[in-house]
Amino acid sequence: MKPVTVFRYLWALPNTLLGLLLLVPALLSGGRVKLVDGVLEISGRAVVWVLERIPFAGPADALTLGHAVLGRSEEILEQWRRHEQVHVRQYERWGPFFIPAYAFSSLYARMKGRDGYLGNRFETEAFVGEKDVIT
Ligand SMILES: [Zn+2]
């Protein structure tokens, strides 16, 4: 593994650890965990429970936390994979500052009269970037 790759994983690690908190509850609730392109995709009933209760953003189909992607089901994870991979790259750039920056971008969009989700610059980048990711 290249040093820059190690740094990206370490830089995003605080966020990844948040996602990994759901690993055991997901497995205990009949979920699945899959490693795809260096990213852990986690699904299951415990994940659904969390996705329906995300403050200001729920209910969601999927959520990226560093190198962990939470999804309602394996099918939904596959459907959103390219989009969530863009978010993984964003976590690799922003590290522990990603969540505050994301929240600020949603707040800023709302202040400008735009939708807090679709007007968020990180979502705009993900919706554009999902078309460019080669899988
Ligand atoms: Zn997104």
Side-chain angles (χ1 to χ4, degrees):
M1 194 181 269
K2 292 179 187 173
V4 68
T5 306
V6 172
F7 177 79
R8 285 180 182 154
Y9 275 82
L10 289 175
W11 184 232
L13 187 61
N15 303 298
T16 307
L17 290 175
L18 280 177
L20 293 182
L21 288 176
L22 272 174
L23 189 62
V24 171
L27 290 173
L28 291 176
S29 64
R32 300 281 307 271
V33 178
K34 197 167 154 186
L35 184 63
V36 180
D37 296 330
V39 175
L40 273 182
E41 294 184 347
I42 306 168
S43 60
R45 284 196 300 276
V47 173
V48 172
W49 190 90
V50 169
L51 291 174
E52 289 179 352
R53 289 163 179 81
I54 301 170
F56 310 110
D61 280 344
L63 172 73
T64 299
L65 290 164
H67 291 90
V69 178
L70 311 174
R72 289 179 174 269
S73 67
E74 288 184 276
E75 292 75 25
I76 286 175
L77 283 166
E78 196 173 323
Q79 181 187 331
W80 282 90
R81 185 167 293 141
R82 289 173 172 218
H83 179 96
E84 301 306 325
Q85 283 176 352
V86 175
H87 287 315
V88 170
R89 302 288 92 80
Q90 292 168 341
Y91 275 101
E92 289 178 344
R93 281 199 303 273
W94 287 79
F97 301 104
F98 179 77
I99 292 175
Y102 185 98
F104 178 79
S105 185
S106 282
L107 185 65
Y108 185 75
R110 286 184 191 183
M111 284 167 49
K112 292 287 184 179
R114 298 194 302 265
D115 183 77
Y117 176 69
L118 293 174
N120 182 307
R121 67 174 297 274
F122 296 101
E123 291 302 338
T124 304
E125 187 181 65
F127 280 109
V128 171
E130 70 184 22
K131 295 173 182 67
D132 300 332
V133 176
I134 299 163
T135 54

